[in-house]
Amino acid sequence: EVTVPAVPPAAPEPPEPPPDTPFDWPLFWTFLRPQLLALSAAVVLALGAALLNVHIPVLLGQLVDVVARCARGHVATYLREVRRPALRLLAVYCLQGLLTFGYIALLARVGERVAGNMRKALFSALLRQEVAFFDATRTGQLVTRLTADIQEFKSSFKLAISQVSPAVSRVSPVDRAGRLSEQLGLGIAAFQGLSNVALNGIVLGTIFVGGSLMAGDQLSPGDLMSFLVASQTVQRSLASISILMGQVVRGLSAGARVLELLRLEPLVPLQGGATIPAHSLYGRICFNHVSFSYPTRPGYPVLQDFSLTLPPCQTVAIVGPSGGGKSTVAALLERFYEPTAGTITLDGHDIAGLDPSWLRGQVIGFISQEPVLFGTTIMENIRFGKPGASDAEVYEAARLHSISTVSPRCPAGERGTALSGGQKQRIAIARALLKDPAVLILDEATSALDAQAERAVQAALERAAAGRTVLLIAHRLSTIRGAHLIQLVATATPPPLPPVGQSPRVGHPQQ
Ligand code: ADP
């Protein structure tokens, strides 16, 4: 009998991923490996730039010595003497600039490509997940991973590599990214503050002590200059390392979240399983004692011990109150979810063993209340039902389903805004029938239309139903007029519906 559960429990909050998801290095490596050449080149260039950085203070010191010597009186030879060290310094500056340009450009390229490939992989990883996954995961979260997390990871990645200097090798306390970030924030702040004080102290001390050494001729002005510039370089590196550490931590946790999703295997794979050859496909569907509750609401049975047979080439209407489980029956038939108990068979084969892509792509046509149209031509919108279809096939489908008022070449507008409800619905019919499905699911296909459009669409649907097994999900009596069999589906309180026999679960032939 019909189950009448108490107030359905609220869906549990989908679990947030744990903040310290370990970073999957082997998986990351598969993205990095194709970029290895560019990456190695970047590292070599960056190391070269770092070496020159060490060399520059020395050259600068030599130049200052020459300047100081000339300043003491030998002005005549100044230009001649200063030219060599000055040119050398200029050359080193230019070389350093070139190397910097080179490694940053390479890193940008590597970062862009790795991020691009990760984004593509993530997108297809999401597409292959079963529908239940999207019930449990908020769409916003997924979009964040596609955009923000990958962006974050990419910029950290670039920054991390660009700071290649001997000091960076000391910056790897970082294995579990998320856990560290808070202490690290404090640590970085303290480190930065203290190192600023220390380094400014060094500058002051150097000038003070260096000045007295210079007065005693024990130190040349150039040596003092070298020391000052070198200490500045060290200060700059330390500052960027502290920024880098924060960035690495953030980047690793963003990356870990992305890689975690990439590894996720769908519970119902998109492809794989048996198919039934076209010549022995009749389209007889049986629901055998099916029970089902949505994975996000395990304690709330939507269907309990539900049995229904759809004979080949007949139309079976399921009626019941809103929320009674009608659309759920259709979703189970398309294998968007797996029954909790019982089986669904197509011509005697359990659909759990059939290839979902084949089932959805070739066997079942689905027409919903609100068809989803894309911002392209009507023709392409129809072709979407069978991506390999020829133009002739598409035109034929358009002609058959009486989309005569608009040319198939017309754009459908963004989400079909250029079309009326009836036109959109007929495009959806043509799309669903392009693959000539043995089974057709009509989910309240005319309920959003006005009376006139409804009549036209209804006529198109009746033509479409001929020779197919049709599962008709209906709210209104007018839509079930042509059905061979009417089945009540209800999980909530018994609905105010036309008499369909004593037992609501027994199919009731209408004609
Ligand atoms: P109908 O098509 O008869 O209006 P549905 O099959 O859409 O009913 O819904 C049946 C019950 O399942 C409702 O209580 C609904 O809230 C619940 N339900 C539908 N879809 C989901 C889902 N994706 N996750 C959790 N519960 C759902």
Side-chain angles (χ1 to χ4, degrees):
E1 58 275 12
V2 179
T3 345
V4 184
V7 182
E13 270 293 294
E16 285 279 344
D20 57 350
T21 318
F23 192 90
D24 188 338
W25 289 105
L27 184 57
F28 178 57
W29 176 241
T30 60
F31 288 98
L32 201 55
R33 199 174 37 206
Q35 312 300 332
L36 213 55
L37 198 68
L39 192 63
S40 317
V43 169
V44 169
L45 294 187
L47 275 176
L51 275 180
L52 289 185
N53 256 346
V54 176
H55 207 53
I56 281 172
V58 179
L59 291 179
L60 210 58
Q62 288 171 0
L63 182 67
V64 169
D65 272 344
V66 172
V67 173
R69 216 173 37 243
C70 295
R72 284 194 207 112
H74 317 284
V75 191
T77 56
Y78 174 71
L79 271 183
R80 189 159 48 83
E81 285 204 41
V82 91
R83 191 187 302 139
R84 268 192 70 148
L87 283 179
R88 206 161 46 196
L89 193 60
L90 190 66
V92 170
Y93 275 147
C94 289
L95 189 59
Q96 211 253 8
L98 265 177
L99 292 180
T100 307
F101 169 80
Y103 83 74
I104 289 181
L106 277 173
L107 280 182
R109 200 181 86 144
V110 171
E112 258 348 294
R113 295 200 174 170
V114 169
N117 290 338
M118 279 175 80
R119 198 173 285 137
K120 266 187 251 165
L122 183 56
F123 194 58
S124 45
L126 290 182
L127 286 185
R128 68 165 186 259
Q129 297 307 316
E130 72 284 354
V131 177
F133 170 82
F134 295 95
D135 290 344
T137 317
R138 270 169 290 177
T139 326
Q141 244 178 41
L142 298 177
V143 174
T144 305
R145 291 201 192 180
L146 264 179
T147 53
D149 275 358
I150 287 189
Q151 188 60 37
E152 171 105 61
F153 182 60
K154 185 178 72 184
S155 41
S156 317
F157 170 75
K158 278 199 257 179
L159 192 66
I161 307 284
S162 65
Q163 302 294 329
V164 176
S165 74
V168 170
S169 58
R170 275 175 257 137
V171 192
S172 39
V174 187
D175 57 348
R176 285 261 167 144
R179 208 179 27 194
L180 282 175
S181 56
E182 233 174 74
Q183 295 125 298
L184 212 68
L186 278 179
I188 288 169
F191 176 76
Q192 182 109 25
L194 283 177
S195 62
N196 273 356
V197 172
L199 282 156
N200 288 329
I202 288 176
V203 173
L204 206 64
T206 309
I207 293 175
F208 184 74
V209 178
S212 71
L213 286 176
M214 263 168 67
D217 258 352
Q218 283 166 285
L219 192 75
S220 76
D223 292 342
L224 185 61
M225 183 74 183
S226 300
F227 199 81
L228 278 177
V229 173
S231 73
Q232 285 283 299
T233 311
V234 170
Q235 186 183 16
R236 272 209 305 269
S237 324
L238 284 181
S240 58
I241 284 171
S242 61
I243 295 170
L244 173 74
M245 272 158 70
Q247 192 70 35
V248 163
V249 166
R250 286 221 305 277
L252 282 185
S253 40
R257 287 196 296 268
V258 172
L259 294 172
E260 184 204 8
L261 259 190
L262 285 179
R263 277 196 316 259
L264 202 68
E265 281 304 322
L267 295 177
V268 182
L270 263 186
Q271 268 166 339
T275 58
I276 302 169
H279 58 81
S280 49
L281 183 66
Y282 299 101
R284 179 186 192 82
I285 293 163
C286 295
F287 288 77
N288 307 307
H289 306 285
V290 169
S291 297
F292 177 71
S293 30
Y294 280 96
T296 48
R297 279 164 129 185
Y300 173 52
V302 176
L303 297 176
Q304 267 197 333
D305 198 27
F306 172 82
S307 295
L308 173 69
T309 297
L310 290 88
C313 301
Q314 301 233 333
T315 296
V316 173
I318 51 179
V319 295
S322 178
K326 302 183 295 295
S327 305
T328 305
V329 170
L332 288 173
L333 180 56
E334 292 217 60
R335 259 195 98 191
F336 288 142
Y337 301 91
E338 306 282 285
T340 329
T343 55
I344 303 167
T345 58
L346 170 64
D347 293 335
H349 303 269
D350 189 342
I351 62 165
L354 298 179
D355 184 340
S357 293
W358 170 78
L359 194 69
R360 296 169 197 159
Q362 292 176 45
V363 181
I364 301 177
F366 180 80
I367 299 171
S368 67
Q369 194 176 70
E370 270 288 324
V372 177
L373 296 192
F374 302 103
T376 170
T377 61
I378 291 175
M379 199 155 153
E380 290 315 313
N381 265 295
I382 295 177
R383 206 197 306 268
F384 187 71
K386 182 181 169 188
S390 68
D391 284 3
E393 277 178 274
V394 177
Y395 272 115
E396 179 62 8
R399 196 188 58 75
L400 269 177
H401 303 290
S402 52
I403 312 168
S404 44
T405 43
V406 279
S407 155
R409 293 210 181 280
C410 285
E414 195 58 43
R415 289 177 181 270
T417 41
L419 301 165
S420 75
Q423 283 166 338
K424 277 197 277 190
Q425 202 54 289
R426 275 179 288 172
I427 292 171
I429 296 172
R431 176 196 283 172
L433 295 188
L434 187 58
K435 60 187 171 194
D436 191 19
V439 179
L440 197 58
I441 300 174
L442 306 178
D443 190 350
E444 321 224 353
T446 57
S447 63
L449 304 178
D450 58 52
Q452 197 191 349
E454 183 183 353
R455 269 197 300 280
V457 170
Q458 189 69 40
L461 284 176
E462 274 160 26
R463 278 197 303 279
R468 298 175 214 283
T469 308
V470 179
L471 179 66
L472 183 68
I473 298 173
H475 252 324
R476 287 195 263 178
L477 283 181
S478 57
T479 46
I480 56 175
R481 249 189 349 238
H484 300 104
L485 200 78
I486 298 171
Q487 167 81 26
L488 173 66
V489 178
T491 45
T493 33
L497 276 170
V500 287
Q502 289 310 304
S503 162
R505 199 142 330 93
V506 177
H508 182 86
Q510 212 198 21
Q511 299 171 338

